[in-house]
Amino acid sequence: MTDQGVREAADLLRRALRAVIFTGAGMSAESGVPTFRDALTGLWQQFDAQALATPQAFHDDPALVWGWYEWRRTAVARARPNAGHVAVAAIEARVPHAVVVTQNVDDLHERAGSVDPVHLHGSLFAPRCSACARPAWAADGLGEEPTDGRRVTPPSCGHCSAPIRPGVVWFGEALPEDALDTAVDAASSCDVLLTVGTSGLVYPAAEIPQVAARFGAAVIQVNPQETPLDAVTAVNLRGPATEVLPALVRAAWEADDRA
Ligand code: OAD
């Protein structure tokens, strides 16, 4: 991240009437929530996605899948929003029309003060019936020590007795239609799209910054690594979310506050 890059990005944000803040797992990495594809620590480096994150996996071994998501849910419940989440909420509060669109299934944006973030890949805290889709109750996850690899039989639906499933999007499943529509609408009418902590490899979510660029928005990227989204990015801020985002908020609005 360079000072000039931060100033350029801050100018774009300060002038924006409409902004989309598009986030991925890197946003929550510094809260201790692992990403999917980072070398060594990424979940998909350690676990088999096909055995844990597909409808077939849940059909074949519901206790393995439910146990794995319970592990993730309890770990997230113990995590705290980081300075990057707080800065995202500050940007949202300053830009007249701002929408947070996240691929994350954690609730750290909400807990940092973001209002109604759009969850493209569902939520760890919204389990539902695997047959009738009725929402199910979710415990707060704070009762037990999180352990990976523990099999836990999923609860049964009070209405139809089918197993309750995690409220996340699995590989091979469609994204929630409302969430995708809201994200595409926001991306196609924004002045600025700020993408934070995503590898930009998973579709259709990765289309969102591309849609924004196609409709003329300036794309700002916050990520320590190169990504395929570099191709549509106007200002690239290489660095971790907890450093870059607070610096961006300071550069965009602190001068106003002092005036
Ligand atoms: P990935 O794990 O694919 O990418 C994480 C990105 O965050 C990488 O580009 C890292 O360089 C970056 N990163 C790491 N630490 C960071 C930090 N401190 N600050 C900023 N960036 C950082 O995660 P996603 O792109 O979110 O889908 O993955 C997309 C989807 O793939 C997920 O929603 C999930 C997964 O399979 C489903 O489960 C449906």
Side-chain angles (χ1 to χ4, degrees), residues 3-259:
D3 287 351
Q4 192 191 337
V6 171
R7 274 197 303 274
E8 277 175 37
D11 270 356
L12 287 165
L13 277 174
R14 197 174 35 238
R15 289 201 302 261
L17 281 178
R18 297 182 175 275
V20 172
I21 304 156
F22 177 71
T23 68
M27 180 85 239
S28 300
E30 292 164 273
S31 292
V33 180
T35 65
F36 294 93
R37 295 177 182 80
D38 278 298
L40 304 176
T41 55
L43 288 174
W44 298 151
Q45 310 295 329
Q46 304 168 62
F47 299 98
D48 177 2
Q50 289 304 313
L52 292 163
T54 63
Q56 189 64 42
F58 187 68
H59 176 266
D60 292 348
D61 197 341
L64 178 73
V65 173
W66 183 258
W68 192 70
Y69 280 95
E70 283 295 277
W71 164 61
R72 289 182 57 199
R73 191 168 65 88
T74 48
V76 163
R78 284 154 190 261
R80 296 282 167 263
N82 64 48
H85 294 104
V86 172
V88 165
I91 294 169
E92 196 185 341
R94 298 285 196 149
V95 176
H97 301 279
V99 183
V100 175
V101 175
T102 187
Q103 297 162 88
N104 297 345
V105 293
D106 65 48
D107 61 350
L108 297 178
H109 280 305
E110 288 90 331
R111 285 200 265 144
S114 284
V115 181
D116 285 339
V118 175
H119 280 275
L120 284 179
H121 290 164
S123 163
L124 289 169
F125 299 93
R128 64 176 189 272
C129 175
S130 58
C132 72
R134 282 184 169 75
W137 177 78
D140 64 14
L142 290 171
E144 304 169 36
E145 273 303 315
T147 330
D148 65 331
R150 195 166 53 103
R151 304 168 80 83
V152 181
T153 303
S156 301
C157 175
H159 180 75
C160 74
S161 308
I164 299 300
R165 58 161 284 173
V168 302
V169 175
W170 283 325
F171 290 103
E173 291 188 314
L175 272 53
E177 210 174 308
D178 286 2
L180 188 57
D181 287 352
T182 305
V184 171
D185 282 355
S188 52
S189 61
C190 66
D191 312 306
V192 174
L193 182 139
L194 173 64
T195 170
V196 183
T198 179
S199 58
L201 292 171
V202 175
Y203 284 81
E207 281 283 354
I208 299 300
Q210 299 178 22
V211 166
R214 217 176 297 139
F215 277 81
V219 175
I220 303 166
Q221 175 167 244
V222 177
N223 197 312
Q225 308 285 336
E226 291 181 5
T227 80
L229 298 176
D230 291 359
V232 295
T233 295
V235 185
N236 232 325
L237 301 172
R238 296 239 185 271
T242 60
E243 284 177 28
V244 178
L245 291 170
L248 204 47
V249 170
R250 279 195 299 274
W253 290 291
E254 266 200 354
D256 292 358
D257 291 345
R258 282 195 298 267

